[in-house]
């Protein structure tokens, strides 16, 4: 799956923020229990990691006149969340937990 430029930028930025660790710990916990859902993982990553990361990215790198949700619309955030959720799901299947 190829990502758009905006989704790739957001994914790279979000992987280096403080918001990814609590989300990964929560997803790890659910995978260990056996009630992991890829759809819920995508929603969780988008809501609790990518949305705050998009807001912070806009504060650091965006313009004052363009809102954060115009730089990273919902479709872009979902696109990045799908890739991240599939990548972390593969890590969980290998036994790599956070």
């Amino acid at each position: 799956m190829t990502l758009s430029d905006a989704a790739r930028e957001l994914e790279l930025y979000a992987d280096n923020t403080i918001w990814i660790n609590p989300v990964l710990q929560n997803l790890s916990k659910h995978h260990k229990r056996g009630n992991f859902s890829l759809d819920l993982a995508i929603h969780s990553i988008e809501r609790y990691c990518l949305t705050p990361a998009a807001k912070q990215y806009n504060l650091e790198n965006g313009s004052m006149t363009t809102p954060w949700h115009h730089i990273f619309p919902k479709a872009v955030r979902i696109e990045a969340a799908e890739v991240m959720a599939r990548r972390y799901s593969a890590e969980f299947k290998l036994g790599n937990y956070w």
Side-chain angles (χ1 to χ4, degrees), residues 44-85:
S44 177
I45 290 172
E46 188 272 327
R47 182 170 184 177
Y48 299 111
C49 178
L50 294 181
T51 299
K55 291 177 182 179
Q56 186 66 32
Y57 183 93
N58 188 41
L59 284 175
E60 292 177 5
N61 303 315
S63 72
M64 294 177 60
T65 57
T66 306
W68 67 271
H69 54 86
H70 287 277
I71 298 172
F72 300 112
K74 179 87 171 181
V76 170
R77 294 192 312 266
I78 293 294
E79 181 183 0
E82 286 179 13
V83 170
M84 291 174 74

Short mmCIF file of all heavy atoms in Angstrom, two decimals, residues 44-85:
data_model
loop_
_atom_site.label_atom_id
_atom_site.label_comp_id
_atom_site.label_asym_id
_atom_site.label_seq_id
_atom_site.Cartn_x
_atom_site.Cartn_y
_atom_site.Cartn_z
N SER A 44 -8.25 3.86 17.33
CA SER A 44 -7.50 4.31 18.50
C SER A 44 -6.25 5.08 18.09
O SER A 44 -5.95 6.14 18.66
CB SER A 44 -7.11 3.10 19.34
OG SER A 44 -6.33 3.47 20.43
N ILE A 45 -5.52 4.57 17.11
CA ILE A 45 -4.31 5.26 16.64
C ILE A 45 -4.67 6.61 16.04
O ILE A 45 -4.01 7.61 16.30
CB ILE A 45 -3.54 4.38 15.64
CG1 ILE A 45 -2.92 3.20 16.36
CG2 ILE A 45 -2.47 5.18 14.92
CD1 ILE A 45 -2.31 2.16 15.45
N GLU A 46 -5.74 6.64 15.26
CA GLU A 46 -6.14 7.90 14.63
C GLU A 46 -6.56 8.93 15.68
O GLU A 46 -6.17 10.09 15.61
CB GLU A 46 -7.29 7.65 13.64
CG GLU A 46 -7.66 8.84 12.80
CD GLU A 46 -8.69 9.75 13.43
OE1 GLU A 46 -9.56 9.24 14.16
OE2 GLU A 46 -8.60 10.96 13.22
N ARG A 47 -7.34 8.50 16.64
CA ARG A 47 -7.90 9.45 17.60
C ARG A 47 -6.89 9.90 18.66
O ARG A 47 -6.82 11.08 18.99
CB ARG A 47 -9.11 8.83 18.28
CG ARG A 47 -9.76 9.77 19.24
CD ARG A 47 -11.06 9.27 19.71
NE ARG A 47 -11.68 10.27 20.56
CZ ARG A 47 -12.86 10.15 21.08
NH1 ARG A 47 -13.57 9.08 20.84
NH2 ARG A 47 -13.35 11.07 21.85
N TYR A 48 -6.14 8.95 19.21
CA TYR A 48 -5.30 9.27 20.36
C TYR A 48 -3.84 9.52 20.02
O TYR A 48 -3.08 9.93 20.89
CB TYR A 48 -5.41 8.17 21.41
CG TYR A 48 -6.82 8.02 21.93
CD1 TYR A 48 -7.57 6.89 21.63
CD2 TYR A 48 -7.40 9.03 22.69
CE1 TYR A 48 -8.86 6.76 22.10
CE2 TYR A 48 -8.70 8.90 23.15
CZ TYR A 48 -9.42 7.77 22.85
OH TYR A 48 -10.71 7.66 23.30
N CYS A 49 -3.45 9.27 18.79
CA CYS A 49 -2.06 9.51 18.41
C CYS A 49 -1.95 10.48 17.25
O CYS A 49 -1.25 11.48 17.33
CB CYS A 49 -1.39 8.18 18.06
SG CYS A 49 0.31 8.38 17.52
N LEU A 50 -2.64 10.20 16.16
CA LEU A 50 -2.46 11.00 14.96
C LEU A 50 -3.12 12.37 15.03
O LEU A 50 -2.57 13.34 14.50
CB LEU A 50 -2.97 10.23 13.73
CG LEU A 50 -2.17 8.98 13.39
CD1 LEU A 50 -2.74 8.31 12.16
CD2 LEU A 50 -0.71 9.29 13.19
N THR A 51 -4.26 12.47 15.68
CA THR A 51 -4.90 13.78 15.80
C THR A 51 -4.06 14.74 16.65
O THR A 51 -3.80 15.86 16.21
CB THR A 51 -6.33 13.64 16.35
OG1 THR A 51 -7.09 12.85 15.43
CG2 THR A 51 -6.99 14.99 16.51
N PRO A 52 -3.59 14.34 17.84
CA PRO A 52 -2.71 15.26 18.57
C PRO A 52 -1.39 15.53 17.85
O PRO A 52 -0.86 16.64 17.90
CB PRO A 52 -2.45 14.55 19.90
CG PRO A 52 -3.47 13.51 20.02
CD PRO A 52 -3.92 13.17 18.65
N ALA A 53 -0.87 14.52 17.14
CA ALA A 53 0.37 14.72 16.39
C ALA A 53 0.15 15.71 15.25
O ALA A 53 1.02 16.54 14.97
CB ALA A 53 0.88 13.40 15.85
N ALA A 54 -1.01 15.64 14.60
CA ALA A 54 -1.31 16.59 13.51
C ALA A 54 -1.43 18.01 14.05
O ALA A 54 -0.95 18.96 13.42
CB ALA A 54 -2.60 16.18 12.81
N LYS A 55 -2.03 18.16 15.22
CA LYS A 55 -2.15 19.48 15.82
C LYS A 55 -0.77 20.03 16.19
O LYS A 55 -0.49 21.21 15.96
CB LYS A 55 -3.05 19.42 17.06
CG LYS A 55 -4.49 19.16 16.73
CD LYS A 55 -5.32 19.04 17.99
CE LYS A 55 -6.76 18.73 17.67
NZ LYS A 55 -7.58 18.58 18.89
N GLN A 56 0.07 19.18 16.77
CA GLN A 56 1.41 19.62 17.15
C GLN A 56 2.26 19.92 15.93
O GLN A 56 3.02 20.88 15.92
CB GLN A 56 2.08 18.54 18.01
CG GLN A 56 3.42 18.96 18.57
CD GLN A 56 3.30 20.09 19.57
OE1 GLN A 56 2.31 20.20 20.27
NE2 GLN A 56 4.30 20.94 19.62
N TYR A 57 2.11 19.13 14.88
CA TYR A 57 2.84 19.37 13.63
C TYR A 57 2.47 20.73 13.07
O TYR A 57 3.32 21.48 12.60
CB TYR A 57 2.52 18.27 12.62
CG TYR A 57 3.28 18.39 11.32
CD1 TYR A 57 4.49 17.74 11.15
CD2 TYR A 57 2.79 19.16 10.26
CE1 TYR A 57 5.20 17.85 9.96
CE2 TYR A 57 3.49 19.28 9.08
CZ TYR A 57 4.69 18.61 8.93
OH TYR A 57 5.38 18.74 7.76
N ASN A 58 1.19 21.05 13.11
CA ASN A 58 0.74 22.35 12.60
C ASN A 58 1.31 23.49 13.44
O ASN A 58 1.67 24.53 12.89
CB ASN A 58 -0.78 22.42 12.57
CG ASN A 58 -1.28 23.66 11.88
OD1 ASN A 58 -0.74 24.06 10.86
ND2 ASN A 58 -2.30 24.28 12.43
N LEU A 59 1.39 23.31 14.74
CA LEU A 59 1.98 24.36 15.59
C LEU A 59 3.45 24.57 15.27
O LEU A 59 3.93 25.71 15.25
CB LEU A 59 1.83 23.98 17.06
CG LEU A 59 0.45 24.16 17.68
CD1 LEU A 59 0.46 23.63 19.11
CD2 LEU A 59 0.03 25.60 17.65
N GLU A 60 4.16 23.49 15.03
CA GLU A 60 5.60 23.59 14.80
C GLU A 60 5.96 23.95 13.36
O GLU A 60 6.92 24.68 13.14
CB GLU A 60 6.28 22.27 15.17
CG GLU A 60 6.24 21.96 16.65
CD GLU A 60 6.83 20.62 16.98
OE1 GLU A 60 7.36 19.94 16.06
OE2 GLU A 60 6.77 20.23 18.15
N ASN A 61 5.22 23.42 12.39
CA ASN A 61 5.64 23.54 11.00
C ASN A 61 4.61 24.19 10.09
O ASN A 61 4.93 24.47 8.93
CB ASN A 61 5.97 22.16 10.42
CG ASN A 61 7.03 21.46 11.22
OD1 ASN A 61 8.03 22.05 11.57
ND2 ASN A 61 6.82 20.21 11.52
N GLY A 62 3.38 24.37 10.55
CA GLY A 62 2.33 24.89 9.68
C GLY A 62 2.28 26.41 9.68
O GLY A 62 3.02 27.10 10.37
N SER A 63 1.37 26.93 8.88
CA SER A 63 1.18 28.37 8.83
C SER A 63 0.12 28.77 9.85
O SER A 63 -0.66 27.95 10.32
CB SER A 63 0.76 28.81 7.43
OG SER A 63 -0.56 28.41 7.17
N MET A 64 0.07 30.04 10.15
CA MET A 64 -0.90 30.53 11.13
C MET A 64 -2.30 30.61 10.55
O MET A 64 -3.28 30.68 11.29
CB MET A 64 -0.47 31.90 11.65
CG MET A 64 0.80 31.84 12.45
SD MET A 64 1.39 33.44 13.01
CE MET A 64 0.04 34.01 13.98
N THR A 65 -2.42 30.60 9.24
CA THR A 65 -3.74 30.76 8.63
C THR A 65 -4.37 29.43 8.21
O THR A 65 -5.57 29.38 7.98
CB THR A 65 -3.63 31.65 7.38
OG1 THR A 65 -2.69 31.07 6.47
CG2 THR A 65 -3.16 33.04 7.77
N THR A 66 -3.59 28.37 8.12
CA THR A 66 -4.13 27.08 7.71
C THR A 66 -4.40 26.22 8.93
O THR A 66 -3.49 25.93 9.70
CB THR A 66 -3.12 26.36 6.79
OG1 THR A 66 -2.78 27.21 5.71
CG2 THR A 66 -3.72 25.07 6.25
N PRO A 67 -5.64 25.79 9.14
CA PRO A 67 -5.93 24.92 10.29
C PRO A 67 -5.33 23.53 10.10
O PRO A 67 -5.10 23.08 8.97
CB PRO A 67 -7.45 24.87 10.34
CG PRO A 67 -7.96 25.53 9.12
CD PRO A 67 -6.83 26.17 8.41
N TRP A 68 -5.11 22.85 11.20
CA TRP A 68 -4.46 21.54 11.17
C TRP A 68 -5.28 20.53 10.39
O TRP A 68 -4.73 19.65 9.74
CB TRP A 68 -4.20 21.04 12.59
CG TRP A 68 -5.44 20.72 13.36
CD1 TRP A 68 -6.16 21.58 14.13
CD2 TRP A 68 -6.11 19.48 13.43
NE1 TRP A 68 -7.24 20.94 14.68
CE2 TRP A 68 -7.23 19.64 14.25
CE3 TRP A 68 -5.89 18.22 12.87
CZ2 TRP A 68 -8.12 18.62 14.54
CZ3 TRP A 68 -6.77 17.20 13.15
CH2 TRP A 68 -7.86 17.40 13.98
N HIS A 69 -6.60 20.62 10.43
CA HIS A 69 -7.43 19.62 9.76
C HIS A 69 -7.51 19.85 8.25
O HIS A 69 -8.05 19.01 7.53
CB HIS A 69 -8.82 19.55 10.38
CG HIS A 69 -9.53 20.85 10.46
ND1 HIS A 69 -10.26 21.36 9.43
CD2 HIS A 69 -9.60 21.75 11.46
CE1 HIS A 69 -10.77 22.52 9.78
NE2 HIS A 69 -10.37 22.79 11.01
N HIS A 70 -6.96 20.96 7.76
CA HIS A 70 -6.83 21.13 6.32
C HIS A 70 -5.51 20.55 5.82
O HIS A 70 -5.41 20.12 4.68
CB HIS A 70 -6.92 22.61 5.93
CG HIS A 70 -8.30 23.16 6.03
ND1 HIS A 70 -9.24 23.00 5.05
CD2 HIS A 70 -8.92 23.83 7.03
CE1 HIS A 70 -10.37 23.58 5.41
NE2 HIS A 70 -10.20 24.08 6.63
N ILE A 71 -4.51 20.56 6.69
CA ILE A 71 -3.22 19.96 6.33
C ILE A 71 -3.34 18.44 6.34
O ILE A 71 -2.87 17.76 5.43
CB ILE A 71 -2.12 20.42 7.30
CG1 ILE A 71 -1.93 21.93 7.21
CG2 ILE A 71 -0.80 19.71 7.00
CD1 ILE A 71 -1.00 22.49 8.25
N PHE A 72 -3.96 17.89 7.40
CA PHE A 72 -4.14 16.46 7.55
C PHE A 72 -5.63 16.16 7.72
O PHE A 72 -6.12 16.00 8.85
CB PHE A 72 -3.38 15.93 8.77
CG PHE A 72 -1.90 16.15 8.70
CD1 PHE A 72 -1.27 17.04 9.55
CD2 PHE A 72 -1.12 15.48 7.77
CE1 PHE A 72 0.09 17.24 9.50
CE2 PHE A 72 0.24 15.68 7.70
CZ PHE A 72 0.85 16.56 8.57
N PRO A 73 -6.39 16.07 6.62
CA PRO A 73 -7.82 15.76 6.75
C PRO A 73 -8.04 14.34 7.28
O PRO A 73 -7.10 13.54 7.38
CB PRO A 73 -8.35 15.91 5.32
CG PRO A 73 -7.18 15.93 4.44
CD PRO A 73 -5.99 16.28 5.26
N LYS A 74 -9.28 14.04 7.61
CA LYS A 74 -9.63 12.75 8.22
C LYS A 74 -9.17 11.58 7.35
O LYS A 74 -8.66 10.59 7.86
CB LYS A 74 -11.14 12.70 8.44
CG LYS A 74 -11.66 11.44 9.04
CD LYS A 74 -11.62 11.50 10.51
CE LYS A 74 -12.36 10.30 11.10
NZ LYS A 74 -12.38 10.32 12.53
N ALA A 75 -9.32 11.68 6.04
CA ALA A 75 -8.93 10.58 5.15
C ALA A 75 -7.43 10.31 5.23
O ALA A 75 -7.00 9.15 5.20
CB ALA A 75 -9.33 10.91 3.72
N VAL A 76 -6.64 11.35 5.36
CA VAL A 76 -5.18 11.20 5.47
C VAL A 76 -4.83 10.57 6.80
O VAL A 76 -3.96 9.68 6.87
CB VAL A 76 -4.48 12.56 5.29
CG1 VAL A 76 -3.01 12.47 5.64
CG2 VAL A 76 -4.67 13.06 3.87
N ARG A 77 -5.48 10.98 7.87
CA ARG A 77 -5.21 10.41 9.18
C ARG A 77 -5.61 8.93 9.23
O ARG A 77 -4.88 8.11 9.81
CB ARG A 77 -5.93 11.20 10.27
CG ARG A 77 -5.41 12.61 10.41
CD ARG A 77 -5.91 13.32 11.65
NE ARG A 77 -7.33 13.23 11.90
CZ ARG A 77 -8.23 14.14 11.52
NH1 ARG A 77 -7.84 15.20 10.83
NH2 ARG A 77 -9.49 13.99 11.83
N ILE A 78 -6.73 8.58 8.62
CA ILE A 78 -7.16 7.18 8.58
C ILE A 78 -6.18 6.36 7.75
O ILE A 78 -5.84 5.22 8.11
CB ILE A 78 -8.59 7.07 8.03
CG1 ILE A 78 -9.60 7.69 9.00
CG2 ILE A 78 -8.96 5.62 7.73
CD1 ILE A 78 -9.73 6.97 10.31
N GLU A 79 -5.72 6.91 6.65
CA GLU A 79 -4.75 6.22 5.79
C GLU A 79 -3.47 5.91 6.57
O GLU A 79 -2.95 4.79 6.52
CB GLU A 79 -4.45 7.10 4.58
CG GLU A 79 -3.49 6.52 3.59
CD GLU A 79 -3.19 7.48 2.45
OE1 GLU A 79 -3.73 8.61 2.42
OE2 GLU A 79 -2.38 7.10 1.59
N ALA A 80 -2.97 6.88 7.30
CA ALA A 80 -1.76 6.67 8.10
C ALA A 80 -2.03 5.69 9.25
O ALA A 80 -1.18 4.85 9.56
CB ALA A 80 -1.25 7.99 8.64
N ALA A 81 -3.20 5.77 9.85
CA ALA A 81 -3.54 4.87 10.96
C ALA A 81 -3.64 3.42 10.50
O ALA A 81 -3.23 2.51 11.23
CB ALA A 81 -4.86 5.31 11.60
N GLU A 82 -4.16 3.19 9.30
CA GLU A 82 -4.24 1.83 8.78
C GLU A 82 -2.86 1.21 8.63
O GLU A 82 -2.63 0.06 9.02
CB GLU A 82 -4.96 1.81 7.43
CG GLU A 82 -6.44 2.01 7.52
CD GLU A 82 -7.11 2.02 6.16
OE1 GLU A 82 -6.47 1.63 5.16
OE2 GLU A 82 -8.28 2.42 6.10
N VAL A 83 -1.94 1.97 8.08
CA VAL A 83 -0.58 1.46 7.88
C VAL A 83 0.09 1.19 9.22
O VAL A 83 0.72 0.15 9.42
CB VAL A 83 0.24 2.45 7.02
CG1 VAL A 83 1.71 2.08 7.00
CG2 VAL A 83 -0.31 2.51 5.63
N MET A 84 -0.08 2.12 10.15
CA MET A 84 0.54 1.94 11.47
C MET A 84 -0.07 0.75 12.20
O MET A 84 0.65 -0.04 12.83
CB MET A 84 0.40 3.22 12.29
CG MET A 84 1.21 4.38 11.76
SD MET A 84 0.90 5.92 12.63
CE MET A 84 1.75 5.61 14.16
N ALA A 85 -1.39 0.59 12.14
CA ALA A 85 -2.05 -0.51 12.84
C ALA A 85 -1.62 -1.86 12.27
O ALA A 85 -1.37 -2.81 13.02
CB ALA A 85 -3.56 -0.36 12.75
#
